[in-house]
Amino acid sequence: MAAKVAVKPEPHRPKSQARTSYLAKRRRVGYLLVLPAVVALALIAIYPLLYNLVLSTRFDVLTEPGTEHFIGLQNYQQLLSDPNFWGDLLRTGIFVVISVTLEFIAGMILALVVHRKFKARGLVRASILIPWAIPTAVSALLWKMFFDTRSGFVDFALGALHLPGSQLVWFNSPTLAWVPIILSDMWKNTPFIALLLLAGLQTIPQEIYESAKIDGASSWQAFWALTLPLLRPAILVALIFRTLSAMLVFDTVFVMTGGGPGQSTEVIAYYDWYKYMVSLNFGFGAAVAVVISLLALLLAAFYVRILRQRGGFMT
């Protein structure tokens, strides 16, 4: 006859305690999963930022070896008293407002067009992304050739159509030099905005448009009262990315004008590059980079605040 084995009963655990233990276990698993990304981010982004912050408080000029020393906030004082910095910052702000506004309008039109059903819609959607896939330096060089006085097609087309401006030397004018820069930036980045807006349009149910049509709303009224409010999260995300990207524009200006004529097309990123790589003043260049980073963070915080206040996707 087999001997009976006494089974010790498990201690009773309250449901709330078991749930707390389960949530703590899930939280630990979550931390472990996120840890590699945090380490990678620290190595790639946080360490360079901290190093740059420390460098901005030092006198560190490559052409004067052995003179490196701590100078506190003197680089920032010198930066804020430099009229070239404020001029470049103003030009950057104007460029951001004009380029992002034009790109948003063009991107919205493009998104609305490719959102409609027509033949070869997939091919058209893929083709509009081609400019975005081209490297910025290549697209800038392409547009520089378009506006070349001797061989560009822009002056030729203006002359053929008997329009004014066929003899313009675009890159010799402090004002007109911005035209090819902005057009190149639009051609390159409008597909990106259109792609984000198109993704937002596809989340809007078509039933509300049918209801609005039954109620007698015109296409413009439906766009203004339905599409724009429902598209707000996608619009703000697109504006965040493009505003920050436009604020850091460098390669387009470098390739097309080199900041000229004079300093008329010099932007803040170009100013930073010049201090770093031409003047070889690493401490001062680091201070410029820190200020640019702070401005970018302030812009991002402004947009995120709008998203939260208006019931965006981050609420």
Side-chain angles (χ1 to χ4, degrees), residues 78-88 91:
Q78 182 183 350
L79 172 65
L80 296 178
S81 61
D82 185 0
N84 291 330
F85 167 73
W86 293 108
D88 292 350
R91 281 188 286 273

Side-chain angles (χ1 to χ4, degrees), residues 242-272:
R242 272 307 301 144
T243 302
L244 296 181
S245 176
M247 184 180 168
L248 301 176
V249 62
F250 169 76
D251 31 16
T252 302
V253 173
F254 181 81
V255 170
M256 300 186 79
T257 65
Q263 294 179 313
S264 58
T265 58
E266 192 173 293
V267 289
I268 192 65
Y270 188 93
Y271 178 83
D272 192 20

Side-chain angles (χ1 to χ4, degrees), residues 61-193:
V61 181
L62 193 61
T63 55
E64 301 179 24
T67 61
E68 300 85 0
H69 60 279
F70 178 77
I71 57 173
L73 300 178
Q74 289 185 21
N75 282 326
Y76 294 97
Q77 293 174 349
Q78 182 183 350
L79 172 65
L80 296 178
S81 61
D82 185 0
N84 291 330
F85 167 73
W86 293 108
D88 292 350
L89 191 62
L90 177 63
R91 281 188 286 273
T92 304
I94 295 172
F95 170 79
V96 169
V97 171
I98 295 176
S99 63
V100 173
T101 301
L102 294 176
E103 288 164 17
F104 173 73
I105 294 172
M108 176 65 78
I109 295 172
L110 199 57
L112 290 172
V113 169
V114 298
H115 184 57
R116 302 176 71 88
K117 293 181 179 178
F118 55 87
K119 288 184 179 179
R121 184 175 65 170
L123 180 62
V124 174
R125 285 182 176 181
S127 61
I128 65 172
L129 292 176
I130 291 176
W132 187 47
I134 294 177
T136 306
V138 176
S139 65
L141 190 59
L142 189 67
W143 278 88
K144 185 178 181 180
M145 293 171 59
F146 289 165
F147 279 84
D148 186 83
T149 307
R150 293 170 297 179
S151 58
F153 84 94
V154 174
D155 283 7
F156 173 78
L158 291 174
L161 297 173
H162 303 288
L163 294 174
S166 60
Q167 300 297 323
L168 287 176
V169 184
W170 296 86
F171 295 105
N172 283 356
S173 167
T175 304
L176 294 177
W178 282 103
V179 175
I181 292 176
I182 291 175
L183 287 177
S184 173
D185 193 73
M186 279 187 65
W187 183 77
K188 165 77 179 170
N189 294 302
T190 296
F192 174 71
I193 291 184

